[in-house]
Amino acid sequence: MKKRKTGKRFLTAFYCVIIMKLFTAPALAAGGHEKDDLIIGVPIDRCPIFYMNEETGEIEGIGADLMRTAAKNAGYSVSFISVKEDTLKSALDNTKYDAVMPFGSAIPSAAEKSTIVSQNLFRTPFTLVTVGKRTLPRLNNLCVGMLRSQTGVAETIRSLYPGIDISMYETMPECVRALRENSVDALLHNSYVWSYVLQKPSYRDLTVQPTTMFSMDFRVGTLDTPEGRDIINRLDRGIIAITDTGRQAVILDYTTRHLYRYDLSDYLYRYGWVMVAFALLSVTFTLFVVKKQRDLRRAGEEQMRQIMEQDKLTGVLSMDGFRRSVEVLLHDHPDIQYLISYNNIRNFKFINDSLGRSAGDELLRFWSQKSMEYMTDEEAIGRISGDHFVILRRINGEEQMDQDERDIINPVRTYFVDRGTKNSIQICSGIYVLTSEDYRNIDVDRMLDYARVAEERVRKTRKDGYEFYNPEQWEKGQRVTYICSQLEDALRSGEVQAWYQPQVNYKTGEIIGAEALCRWNHSKLGWLRPAEFIPILEESDMIFELDKYIWERVCRDLRRWKDQGDIRYVSVNLSRCDMREGRNIPSHFYNLIRTYDLDPSQLRIEITESAYVEKPELLIRTTVKLKEFGFQVEMDDFGSGYSSLHMLKDVPVDRIKLDLKFMSGVGDSEKGRIIVSHIIQMARSLGINMIAEGVENLSQASYLESQDCFEMQGFYFYKPMPVKEFEAIMEQKNP
Ligand code: C2E
Ligand code: MG
Ligand code: MG
């Protein structure tokens, strides 16, 4: 009996085990025991369906929440991981995930394995988006763009609408670019995702096409294996258990949240102009602050400098200030003729002792003010100690010293007498007249030393008055100022004339041309030598006025001769000082010959050799341009000492004027002959013509002839002569 009971119990237990085994077999098959945790792979690029919550690091969204509820209903706990595969199809083959979602329907995996899908979790509306409002053709004829991660959806759509053309893109910006570039008619995505994506400010031009809406299912998928089937079966039970209200609540929760977060590009797009304005404002403000600080610093420095450079008592410059001002003025005005005076009150100590220091101070202030009344901004005055004043004064003509005595010195002399005391003031002054060297090499202390030497001379020999350190310079300065002041009148009145010195061919005896040389017969000073007034005009920058005048006279004469049937050739001088950047000399000459209707070859332009050494680039440029216009260019005064023979290879002149004046004893001494013969040979080898000028005697002419140099100019043949005489000679030679 006991045996039978025990056998019954054993059988019951056996059957129970068998029944339990039958029920749990599929779940155990997966890993040897039933699974309660599911790992589901999802895409996270489709907020609000699936997205990564940056704060929690968890995957959230409508899909995630609904799935979590379904899994819970089925007794699963679920965790989501982001699929790394390009498409959900390929994710199906990855055993890392127990299931993958979402799928509209079951599609084969990328490895062509069959799959199964769960019940539908919810219906996801799909809609098209276009740029602006557009009327679209029917879905079947449409070209749409989609995200590559939606390959599964795309396949479902292709099966639903066989005529549709779908292009896949990696990212949403790429989709939008394709749409904007008209590569596709519209973009297709789930409406919930659009409601999120279209919050991006720069997508404001995109419009949802509500008429083209359709819905897709949203299911979990996995490989069609016993384990897969078990998972799907269990999940289905959980999905069915989700109520509609619960489903709507989840959808409403996510679609009403403002999940879109602006990134930098959104801020730039939305608030770009504000940022630019802000940046501009900041830059302007910074610049303003920097400038203000710099101005303040400069003002401070300037104030400091003024304190250092100003004499407190009188308001004139201190020694430092005077030195600096003189340097600046001489540098800026090399054309102004200046003198420097050193002035000293001989009886200043007596004045201080007898009338008091303040009376002395008053006198110094008076002197300063009186001087400044008559001085311009181009002059300077300084008090370098006690009663010693130094002045940089512009030379304004012969009368100037007397004028200054009258206007400034005498009132100082009689300052106290005029105020009712008997103390007359004695002033000793020394004057240094600046030379051109002083402008090139500015040394204020040296100039003051010279002025002081002259002042000492006065102090030692007499009571009062002034003396020049260099009276001859003063005379010269006077003459320079006078000559410069006279030029304009001289050109207008005809005191300045163009004379001609004929040039000959020694072999044939013919006159082959002439050089125009200016002559000035001044009404008071008589004949002025070009050697004197040309350098003066060059230094005071007036030579161009004279040269323009001479060139014009020459052109007029050439024109007159041309009208009489004589084509003549004249060389004119172009000073090195005429040449300066911006003054277009070649055009000037070209306009001249056009005005007078001459051939450019009739005008030969002489440029002194020294000019080529001083400003080679400008000179070479000018020469080339002149030659382009058809003028002949001659290098004047060749051999004057500047000769750098190699220069000839760079300068494209037509003719060299070898000046015998510079070759002492040429024609007479053996050395001179050798030099001349070599220069002639060299010019010949270079293919440059040669004329010898300054030919004074037969022996020079014969020697030149023996060297095959036949063109000559010099007193031996003709001296420079007025135009009438020149015409007479030409008439005689060439009737
Ligand atoms: P230059 O251009 O070399 O002119 C030749 C100078 O030599 C002239 O002096 C002429 O009178 C002088 N001369 C001619 N044959 C002989 C001779 O056989 N022996 C000697 N000892 N001298 C002779 P001038 O007219 O006194 O001119 C001197 C310089 O002044 C000229 O030298 C030229 O550089 C310059 N000059 C003359 N007129 C003008 C002008 O209108 N404009 C410019 N910029 N410079 C001119
Ligand atoms: Mg000349
Ligand atoms: Mg010459």
Side-chain angles (χ1 to χ4, degrees):
M1 185 71 188
K2 202 173 179 185
K3 251 188 179 175
R4 272 178 62 193
K5 260 193 181 169
T6 314
K8 236 181 172 175
R9 260 189 221 144
F10 174 74
L11 265 178
T12 316
F14 176 73
Y15 283 125
C16 280
V17 167
I18 296 293
I19 289 163
M20 274 178 70
K21 279 242 175 209
L22 275 172
F23 272 101
T24 55
L28 289 175
H33 61 88
E34 187 166 354
K35 239 174 125 68
D36 286 329
D37 302 324
L38 281 186
I39 296 174
I40 300 191
V42 296
I44 56 164
D45 62 347
R46 47 192 77 174
C47 187
I49 308 282
F50 290 116
Y51 66 93
M52 177 71 77
N53 182 330
E54 302 288 343
E55 282 157 26
T56 61
E58 296 280 329
I59 293 175
E60 293 178 359
I62 301 171
D65 272 18
L66 289 177
M67 186 61 213
R68 215 172 261 125
T69 313
K72 199 174 153 204
N73 293 343
Y76 280 124
S77 87
V78 71
S79 47
F80 297 98
I81 57 174
S82 153
V83 290
K84 294 284 173 284
E85 288 73 10
D86 283 348
T87 63
L88 292 184
K89 270 181 86 153
S90 350
L92 283 169
D93 294 315
N94 189 344
T95 53
K96 190 167 76 177
Y97 320 113
D98 296 312
V100 177
M101 64 189 294
F103 290 100
S105 56
I107 50 165
S109 77
E112 292 297 329
K113 292 188 184 145
S114 62
T115 61
I116 49 166
V117 288
S118 70
Q119 293 284 327
N120 188 20
L121 268 155
F122 72 115
R123 304 246 336 139
T124 51
F126 267 71
T127 187
L128 291 168
V129 156
T130 53
V131 176
K133 282 205 172 76
R134 285 186 58 177
T135 335
L136 288 171
R138 294 158 61 83
L139 261 175
N140 231 337
N141 304 321
L142 214 57
C143 176
V144 297
M146 290 183 73
L147 284 176
R148 187 169 307 288
S149 61
Q150 286 199 297
T151 313
V153 181
E155 273 185 32
T156 313
I157 291 171
R158 274 194 195 102
S159 64
L160 289 171
Y161 306 96
I164 199 164
D165 177 5
I166 302 177
S167 305
M168 307 305 284
Y169 299 95
E170 300 304 326
T171 60
M172 187 52 84
E174 281 176 36
C175 286
V176 174
R177 197 177 315 127
L179 178 68
R180 287 191 176 137
E181 287 169 359
N182 277 332
S183 306
V184 292
D185 300 320
L187 299 178
L188 184 61
H189 212 312
N190 146 353
S191 311
Y192 299 133
V193 174
W194 280 137
S195 71
Y196 167 83
V197 168
L198 296 186
Q199 287 172 33
K200 191 174 175 65
S202 58
Y203 291 171
R204 228 180 272 161
D205 56 331
L206 305 188
T207 313
V208 174
Q209 299 281 321
T211 48
T212 53
M213 198 116 81
F214 65 94
S215 291
M216 295 268 294
D217 289 350
F218 192 91
R219 300 165 190 269
V220 187
T222 188
L223 293 180
D224 188 5
T225 58
E227 309 87 64
R229 269 197 297 280
D230 182 58
I231 292 171
I232 295 299
N233 286 340
R234 259 179 87 178
L235 280 178
D236 278 350
R237 288 202 290 278
I239 291 170
I240 290 162
I242 299 175
T243 61
D244 259 359
T245 337
R247 193 175 277 122
Q248 289 311 321
V250 171
I251 295 172
L252 196 67
D253 176 23
Y254 279 98
T255 48
T256 50
R257 282 193 218 172
H258 196 86
L259 292 169
Y260 186 80
R261 298 267 172 275
Y262 276 15
D263 60 16
L264 184 65
S265 68
D266 294 326
Y267 282 112
L268 278 177
Y269 182 85
R270 183 108 198 236
Y271 303 111
W273 63 271
V274 181
M275 289 179 177
V276 169
F278 183 73
L280 278 177
L281 217 71
S282 314
V283 169
T284 316
F285 181 72
T286 313
L287 286 177
F288 174 78
V289 170
V290 169
K291 186 176 174 315
K292 199 82 202 149
Q293 273 180 338
R294 206 175 43 201
D295 288 352
L296 277 173
R297 203 185 57 233
R298 286 218 181 122
E301 282 168 8
E302 181 59 25
Q303 212 174 4
M304 202 61 201
R305 198 179 57 77
Q306 272 179 10
I307 292 169
M308 298 279 296
E309 295 191 348
Q310 205 170 32
D311 171 42
K312 273 198 219 75
L313 178 67
T314 59
V316 300
L317 297 164
S318 65
M319 181 64 219
D320 282 346
F322 181 75
R323 196 182 283 120
R324 205 180 68 86
S325 295
V326 172
E327 282 167 1
V328 171
L329 287 169
L330 295 194
H331 178 268
D332 291 352
H333 305 286
D335 49 331
I336 296 182
Q337 273 278 309
Y338 281 114
L339 58 79
I340 276 188
S341 68
Y342 191 102
N343 310 276
N344 175 12
I345 300 176
R346 162 169 268 213
N347 48 348
F348 191 63
K349 185 171 165 10
F350 176 74
I351 297 289
N352 268 341
D353 291 348
S354 57
L355 299 176
R357 248 191 108 80
S358 61
D361 288 352
E362 222 175 90
L363 175 68
L364 297 176
R365 274 197 291 266
F366 176 75
W367 189 355
S368 308
Q369 271 151 25
K370 206 71 206 154
S371 305
M372 285 197 285
E373 255 174 57
Y374 290 92
M375 287 169 66
T376 65
D377 288 349
E378 281 134 20
E379 297 171 307
I381 173 167
R383 187 172 76 111
I384 59 171
S385 68
D387 57 334
H388 293 208
F389 282 90
V390 286
I391 299 172
L392 176 80
R393 191 95 163 101
R394 165 184 206 140
I395 302 176
N396 288 320
E398 263 175 303
E399 297 293 300
Q400 178 170 351
M401 299 310 292
D402 296 342
Q403 188 93 35
D404 283 356
E405 284 276 306
R406 254 195 324 271
D407 296 336
I408 305 167
I409 305 294
N410 283 347
V412 177
R413 278 192 183 116
T414 60
Y415 180 75
F416 291 117
V417 177
D418 293 345
R419 281 158 186 76
T421 70
K422 289 194 173 133
N423 307 79
S424 97
I425 305 295
Q426 290 146 14
I427 298 172
C428 301
S429 307
I431 293 160
Y432 173 68
V433 181
L434 272 62
T435 66
S436 47
E437 177 57 24
D438 293 319
Y439 294 80
R440 280 193 287 274
N441 210 342
I442 303 168
D443 183 345
V444 182
D445 291 328
R446 187 175 45 81
M447 294 183 255
L448 281 177
D449 282 347
Y450 293 150
R452 195 203 304 254
V453 168
E455 182 269 333
E456 255 169 36
R457 235 182 277 154
V458 176
R459 208 155 17 97
K460 281 185 186 146
T461 53
R462 33 197 172 112
K463 277 190 170 169
D464 182 285
Y466 67 87
E467 236 181 66
F468 285 105
Y469 174 81
N470 46 353
E472 60 306 323
Q473 188 67 28
W474 169 251
E475 298 295 332
K476 199 177 146 202
Q478 291 304 306
R479 199 170 160 90
V480 165
T481 323
Y482 184 64
I483 287 176
C484 290
S485 72
Q486 296 291 297
L487 180 72
E488 206 183 313
D489 282 351
L491 295 178
R492 209 178 314 119
S493 66
E495 273 183 17
V496 173
Q497 295 174 1
W499 282 27
Y500 293 92
Q501 184 177 30
Q503 298 170 336
V504 299
N505 182 319
Y506 188 58
K507 204 167 162 190
T508 62
E510 258 181 305
I511 293 180
I512 50 166
E515 174 173 7
L517 294 157
C518 75
R519 291 293 178 265
W520 184 348
N521 189 5
H522 188 268
S523 54
K524 285 206 186 102
L525 305 176
W527 286 101
L528 294 170
R529 289 179 311 112
E532 182 192 9
F533 68 83
I534 298 259
I536 287 178
L537 296 179
E538 284 182 335
E539 271 194 24
S540 46
D541 210 17
M542 295 171 87
I543 189 71
F544 193 49
E545 294 312 309
L546 174 104
D547 278 349
K548 280 192 297 190
Y549 175 84
I550 297 289
W551 303 336
E552 171 112 33
R553 301 303 307 189
V554 169
C555 286
R556 250 190 234 190
D557 289 342
L558 285 169
R559 172 75 217 179
R560 201 175 59 252
W561 297 327
K562 188 178 174 188
D563 289 342
Q564 293 161 5
D566 295 324
I567 301 293
R568 291 192 181 139
Y569 301 90
V570 172
S571 302
V572 291
N573 288 285
L574 171 65
S575 164
R576 64 188 162 80
C577 301
D578 291 332
M579 226 88 64
R580 74 153 82 123
E581 292 291 352
R583 188 185 275 170
N584 197 337
I585 295 285
S587 295
H588 185 87
F589 277 113
Y590 186 66
N591 291 339
L592 260 182
I593 56 136
R594 279 190 24 172
T595 309
Y596 288 95
D597 188 23
L598 300 167
D599 191 276
S601 66
Q602 288 182 265
L603 213 55
R604 295 167 174 167
I605 291 139
E606 292 190 9
I607 305 174
T608 60
E609 185 193 9
S610 60
Y612 282 101
V613 180
E614 280 171 26
K615 309 176 186 166
E617 278 157 34
L618 177 60
L619 261 285
I620 291 173
R621 242 186 295 138
T622 308
T623 307
V624 169
K625 198 85 201 138
L626 283 168
K627 280 169 63 87
E628 274 172 24
F629 281 132
F631 297 104
Q632 297 268 307
V633 182
E634 306 187 335
M635 191 183 280
D636 201 1
D637 300 341
F638 193 82
S640 62
Y642 285 92
S643 294
S644 43
L645 299 177
H646 69 88
M647 186 178 69
L648 277 178
K649 72 177 176 355
D650 304 320
V651 185
V653 291
D654 299 287
R655 192 159 75 154
I656 289 172
K657 289 193 83 175
L658 174 64
D659 197 334
L660 295 198
K661 275 200 298 277
F662 302 120
M663 318 245 116
S664 58
V666 163
D668 305 323
S669 89
E670 194 47 36
K671 275 188 190 164
R673 283 166 184 264
I674 293 170
I675 293 172
V676 168
S677 118
H678 276 88
I679 292 178
I680 294 171
Q681 272 177 37
M682 184 189 63
R684 191 174 303 128
S685 335
L686 288 169
I688 304 174
N689 293 329
M690 164 81 74
I691 179 167
E693 67 174 329
V695 182
E696 289 184 332
N697 53 49
L698 174 62
S699 102
Q700 288 175 331
S702 311
Y703 180 71
L704 289 165
E705 186 190 23
S706 74
Q707 297 298 313
D708 287 347
C709 173
F710 305 114
E711 296 189 356
M712 300 179 203
Q713 173 188 339
F715 294 168
Y716 177 60
F717 305 101
Y718 300 98
K719 288 196 165 174
M721 57 189 79
V723 64
K724 285 273 165 271
E725 263 178 55
F726 177 65
E727 282 174 345
I729 284 181
M730 293 305 286
E731 199 56 38
Q732 209 181 321
K733 280 256 164 195
N734 193 9

